[in-house]
Amino acid sequence: MATFLHKLGRLAFRRRHFVALIWVALLTLAGVGAASAPPAGNSSFSIPGTEAQKAFDLLEQRFPGASADGATARVVFKAPSGEKMTDAGNKATVEKTVDELADGSEVASVADPYTGNAVSKDGTIAYASVKYDVSGMELEESTKDALEDAAQQARDSGLTVEIGGDALQAVPETGATEVIGIAVAAVVLVITFGSLVAAGLPLLTALIGVGIGVSSITALASALELGSTTSILAMMIGLAVGIDYALFIVSRYRAELAEGREREEAAGRAVGTAGSAVVFAGLTVVIALVGLAVVNIPMLTKMGVAAAGTVAIAVLIALTMIPALLGYAGRRVKPAGAKGKRLGRFRKDDPKPDQPAGQPKANLGTRWASFVVRRPLAVLLLGVIGLGAAAVPAASLELGLPDDGSQPTSTTQRRAYDLLSEGFGPGFNGPLMVVVDAKGSDAPKDAFDDVAGEIKGLDGVVAVTPPAPNKGGDTATITVVPDSKPSSVQTEDLVHAIRDAGGDIEAKTGAETLVTGSTAMNIDVSEKLNDALVPYLVLVVGLAFLLLIVVFRSILVPLKAALGFLLSVMAALGAVVAVFQWGWLSGLMGVEETGPVMSMMPIFMVGVVFGLAMDYEVFLVTRMREAYVHGEKPNQAVVTGFKHGARVVTAAAVIMMAVFAGFIGSSESMVKMIGFGLAIAVFFDAFVVRMAIVPAVLALLGKRAWWLPKWLDRALPNVDVEGEGLRTAAERGTGPDEDRELVRT
């Protein structure tokens, strides 16, 4: 592989006009496609194989035209202090508001509070339910404006009015912190390279790659029903890996220049060596993201595939556009260490005037690695105990999906949620819909009544509405209001109790009882994700383990990489629980409401963090492997790997943390949580696992770290990530001219 990528790098360097034209054309094509594509419609959220989804599908079949997936709004009214909603003036205001809401072209129905028993017992709070023909993402802006205008007119009359539901659903915003993250990345690149030109190359290529990826997602959003979160996550991951991959190749290019190679040959060797690591690191990320398909949640699968596509683009750009841009930059990209000498200063690893030539002062990476290999057991224990302590909160992990109760208190949705809880109880915000399929029953009406009566006798039930049958009389819906909030364990227990009771009723009457609604759907999603976590780990870690065996030609090094990943991801989950569930530092992170951790968070974090963790493993350990196969002793190879790789890996980790942390400012709770989780996971993995635990373990293992059975060594393909083939060619005297002929052929 190193030989092929070496040829590719040199070819891209020489044919830079052609390479740049191709990528600019692709960016333009994707941009035009995004601009001309129809707006994204509803991002369908289906959970195949769950009872809630089965009930939802049955509703669409047995209640045609009911717009089961249509947007809803609850306009909540509260009377001024000392008044009631039943007072004549307040009642007239509400009825006028209901009439105005009913005039909308996309409105399916509006329920009057006074005829629908939607006034609280103390008479101070009432609500009007609005049902729309289309989903919240498909509502016209004029319809949303009409809803808000009607509420404002009621406010002008002296009432407190708030709007809940998904009718005002908005595209999540990432906030200004995303730009701050990119700015931090730029500063780190300038410090690392000491050159604005060299620092600008990774940023430019990463932005082009993300532009192509996100524009393509936008262009396909309507056809593939991709949600807005998909493009944000693709941008988050694409920016991080795009900058990092380019950073490694540019760093290796400058190192090759420092060894006296011509620029074209330096570009070829940079792509042949660092580029090989980029390819395998990218493959691990792609495997982890595409592997999300095993969960069998279409939305999660689409998110994973879209993000994987952006990572693949980042790899291709790093391998082709970076050497092309290096050709354009010419002498403006200096060899490693050249900037300090040109300015009359000395780098830390340059010999000082009173220091003997040929004995440069060890850099920080070398000194740290030397310390670790001298005291490997102490460093290993300290790292493992520290990560174990950070992982302790993960034992209290509670999973759920967000509702209006997790919104900031500044939003009208959250204030409506709180008013409904005040007037009707916390469970009113998450009613359960029970669907009774009595098609196989001899007495459907009796079956409906039996189900309603059975549910009334369960603990934790506040109210049960009378069965509402369809026109055919074979199916009915029953609304159940719990006495606990939607995301609570008590509500989850009630859902299971209703389902258990439904099994007994089916045995007696032949009628099937199903529980659905957003609350039940959230519970089913959490359980499905929990059940899929172990198979997903086995698949992703197993495939990546095999891939790393090919890269490192070792059994113990990939095993150590996988175990280190588990440590870092558990510690990161512990930090997420501490902040978003326990409320530690919640003010600093902009978390206004603590609660269960997003159901998708553990499995998504496992996928993404595993791929990113393998990035640092590949980039750092391939340098060690390269030194070892070139004849150095195991401990010295560890030090050499840190000498050449620690500075760059540190910069890459800081950049990735800055990019992920930039998304903490998002208005979308899922994006905020994932941004924080990935940023802290990168910190744990890069600076504790890869920088401390990995060299400590390798020092303890010695030569055994690179052991591979002879039969397996013969069976594995030789991918030559270390660039041994390039060194052999150099020793044979093969020069640029001969290599150029190889490229042409």
Side-chain angles (χ1 to χ4, degrees), residues 125-204:
I125 297 174
Y127 70 91
S129 297
V130 186
K131 182 74 174 176
Y132 293 91
D133 293 320
V134 297
S135 67
M137 295 300 292
E138 295 173 313
L139 281 177
E140 298 286 345
E141 286 300 321
S142 58
T143 300
K144 296 181 181 181
D145 292 341
L147 175 61
E148 292 177 328
D149 289 344
Q152 186 58 48
Q153 290 180 20
R155 291 189 190 103
D156 294 340
S157 300
L159 298 177
T160 298
V161 185
E162 305 296 346
I163 304 171
D166 60 353
L168 295 182
Q169 183 178 357
V171 176
E173 299 175 356
T174 53
T177 50
E178 177 193 347
V179 179
I180 296 174
I182 296 176
V184 171
V187 171
V188 173
L189 287 169
V190 171
I191 294 173
T192 303
F193 291 137
S195 164
L196 290 174
V197 174
L201 296 183
L203 281 176
L204 176 61

Side-chain angles (χ1 to χ4, degrees), residues 571-650:
L573 277 176
V576 169
V577 170
V579 173
F580 291 88
Q581 189 175 309
W582 292 0
W584 294 4
L585 301 178
S586 57
L588 182 63
M589 298 297 164
V591 180
E592 296 190 21
E593 183 70 20
T594 59
V597 172
M598 190 85 54
S599 297
M600 296 181 185
M601 186 67 190
I603 200 162
F604 192 84
M605 179 180 283
V606 164
V608 177
V609 173
F610 182 78
L612 300 179
M614 294 308 103
D615 278 2
Y616 302 119
E617 182 75 15
V618 170
F619 288 131
L620 194 60
V621 180
T622 47
R623 272 291 195 170
M624 300 177 191
R625 170 75 181 174
E626 183 177 344
Y628 179 74
V629 299
H630 289 162
E632 293 187 8
K633 293 182 179 180
N635 280 10
Q636 184 56 41
V638 172
V639 176
T640 300
F642 267 76
K643 175 184 177 182
H644 294 292
R647 178 183 175 91
V648 179
V649 169
T650 300

Side-chain angles (χ1 to χ4, degrees), residues 220-234:
L220 298 172
S222 178
L224 301 181
E225 296 184 343
L226 302 177
S228 55
T229 306
T230 303
S231 60
I232 292 178
L233 293 176

Side-chain angles (χ1 to χ4, degrees), residues 520-598:
M521 185 74 79
N522 290 351
I523 292 170
D524 287 352
V525 169
S526 298
E527 292 178 352
K528 191 176 181 71
L529 288 166
N530 285 337
D531 294 341
L533 185 58
V534 172
Y536 175 71
L537 269 173
V538 171
L539 172 70
V540 172
V541 176
L543 288 176
F545 180 77
L546 295 176
L547 185 65
L548 292 178
I549 289 178
V550 174
V551 174
F552 296 127
R553 308 194 77 78
S554 164
I555 297 293
L556 296 180
V557 170
L559 180 61
K560 172 262 312 168
L563 294 177
F565 151 74
L566 291 176
L567 275 174
S568 59
V569 79
M570 289 304 298
L573 277 176
V576 169
V577 170
V579 173
F580 291 88
Q581 189 175 309
W582 292 0
W584 294 4
L585 301 178
S586 57
L588 182 63
M589 298 297 164
V591 180
E592 296 190 21
E593 183 70 20
T594 59
V597 172
M598 190 85 54

Side-chain angles (χ1 to χ4, degrees), residues 278-305:
V278 165
V279 169
F280 282 98
L283 277 176
T284 59
V285 180
V286 169
I287 288 172
L289 291 171
V290 174
L292 291 170
V294 303
V295 184
N296 196 26
I297 295 180
M299 185 185 76
L300 195 60
T301 300
K302 293 173 184 177
M303 288 166 56
V305 172

